Amino acid sequence: MEQQPYEPTSDPATGDRPLVLVVDDDPTVAEVVAGYLDRAGYAVDRAADGPAALARAAAHRPDLVVLDLMLPGMDGLEVCRRLRAHGPVPVVMLTARGDEDDRILGLEVGADDYVTKPFSPRELVLRVASVLRRARPAEGTRPLSAAGLTVDPAARRATRDGAELALTLREFDLLAYFLRHPGRAHSREELMHEVWGWDFGDLSTVTVHVRRLRGKVEQDPAEPRLIRTVWGVGYRFEPPGTLTTGGPPPAEEV
């Protein structure tokens, strides 16, 4: 089944409160998170396990899901996969510890952001606001095209050779940024700042998203020809015929 582009169900500009589904089996954590989100102007729904979360999401589609990784029975990774199977929805993953493997697993299944427990509720609210802000269609932004790829920021739609691409919000923003700057080398720090809006963070977030994006736009993700690795720098989007800048020659790339 072809996924439709994500469209938020509520609009703060019209007085509607964006709906955030909080999924956590710890009632204290869920209550604190819900309280902070409510005070920040969000409507909040809650679920304590995976099946309940899927049922709540099916009954009333949320604008964003705050999802604990370590849930009883069906874990957060499986919940995220099943949510994604029914269409794109922004997900902020909560991980119980700072292990890199946990964070990467969350990003690999399509989480748009993550927060490590214990966390500041204010930080979580800021992350939620950032993800929702980027999820909303941009006004008056022209479509971008190169190498058979087309990104329409206003419609939040991306295609490859005319076929719809099922991208997460961050993957979409990353591809759009690459298309706006062909031939230019970008450090992971720059991508984190420009695409995620973060001045600091775990740079493996960028690495994982680039890998996932390559899997969707490259003919052979194992030998990327569009999103190149620039050793010692970061990445460069290099459609055929592009004049490259800011990195070593292509012979030094893989």
Coordinates of all heavy atoms in Angstrom, one line a residue, residues 10 29 54 59 72-73 102 114 132 152 163 176 188-189 221:
S10 N -3.9 18.8 13.0 CA -4.3 20.0 13.7 C -3.4 21.1 13.4 O -2.2 20.9 13.0 CB -4.3 19.8 15.2 OG -3.1 19.2 15.7
V29 N 6.4 8.7 34.7 CA 7.0 9.3 33.5 C 5.9 9.8 32.6 O 6.0 11.0 32.1 CB 8.0 8.4 32.8 CG1 8.4 9.0 31.5 CG2 9.2 8.0 33.7
L54 N -1.2 1.3 19.5 CA -1.7 1.2 18.1 C -3.2 1.4 18.0 O -3.7 2.0 17.0 CB -1.3 -0.2 17.6 CG 0.2 -0.5 17.5 CD1 0.4 -2.0 17.1 CD2 0.8 0.4 16.5
A59 N -7.6 5.0 16.3 CA -8.8 5.7 16.7 C -8.8 7.2 16.4 O -9.7 7.8 16.0 CB -9.2 5.4 18.1
P72 N 6.7 -3.3 27.7 CA 6.5 -4.8 28.0 C 5.8 -5.4 26.8 O 5.0 -4.8 26.1 CB 5.5 -4.8 29.2 CG 4.8 -3.4 29.1 CD 5.8 -2.5 28.6
G73 N 6.1 -6.7 26.5 CA 5.5 -7.4 25.4 C 6.0 -6.9 24.1 O 7.1 -7.2 23.6
D102 N 21.0 1.5 21.3 CA 19.6 1.8 21.5 C 19.2 3.0 20.6 O 18.1 2.9 19.9 CB 19.3 2.2 22.9 CG 19.3 0.9 23.8 OD1 19.3 -0.2 23.3 OD2 19.2 1.1 25.0
Y114 N 15.2 11.4 19.3 CA 15.2 10.5 20.5 C 15.7 11.4 21.7 O 16.4 12.4 21.6 CB 16.2 9.3 20.3 CG 17.6 9.7 20.2 CD1 18.4 9.9 21.4 CD2 18.2 10.0 19.0 CE1 19.7 10.3 21.3 CE2 19.5 10.4 18.9 CZ 20.3 10.5 20.1 OH 21.6 11.0 20.0
L132 N 7.6 18.8 15.1 CA 6.4 19.2 14.6 C 6.5 20.4 13.6 O 5.9 20.5 12.6 CB 5.4 19.6 15.7 CG 4.7 18.4 16.4 CD1 3.9 18.8 17.5 CD2 3.9 17.6 15.4
D152 N 9.2 18.1 -3.2 CA 8.3 19.3 -3.1 C 8.1 19.6 -1.7 O 7.3 19.0 -1.0 CB 7.0 18.9 -3.8 CG 6.0 20.1 -3.9 OD1 6.2 21.1 -3.2 OD2 5.0 20.0 -4.7
A163 N 8.2 7.7 -8.9 CA 7.6 6.8 -7.8 C 7.7 7.5 -6.5 O 8.8 8.0 -6.1 CB 8.3 5.4 -7.8
A176 N 16.1 17.2 0.9 CA 15.9 18.5 0.4 C 17.1 19.4 0.6 O 17.4 20.2 -0.3 CB 14.7 19.2 1.1
R188 N 29.2 16.6 9.2 CA 28.0 16.1 9.9 C 27.5 17.2 10.9 O 26.3 17.2 11.2 CB 28.4 14.8 10.7 CG 28.6 13.6 9.7 CD 28.7 12.3 10.4 NE 29.9 12.3 11.4 CZ 30.1 11.3 12.3 NH1 29.2 10.3 12.4 NH2 31.2 11.4 13.0
E189 N 28.5 18.0 11.5 CA 28.0 19.0 12.4 C 27.2 20.0 11.7 O 26.1 20.5 12.2 CB 29.3 19.7 13.0 CG 30.1 18.9 13.9 CD 31.1 18.0 13.3 OE1 31.1 18.0 12.0 OE2 31.9 17.4 14.0
P221 N 22.9 1.1 -2.8 CA 23.3 1.7 -1.6 C 24.7 1.4 -1.1 O 25.4 2.1 -0.4 CB 22.3 1.3 -0.6 CG 21.1 0.9 -1.4 CD 21.7 0.3 -2.7

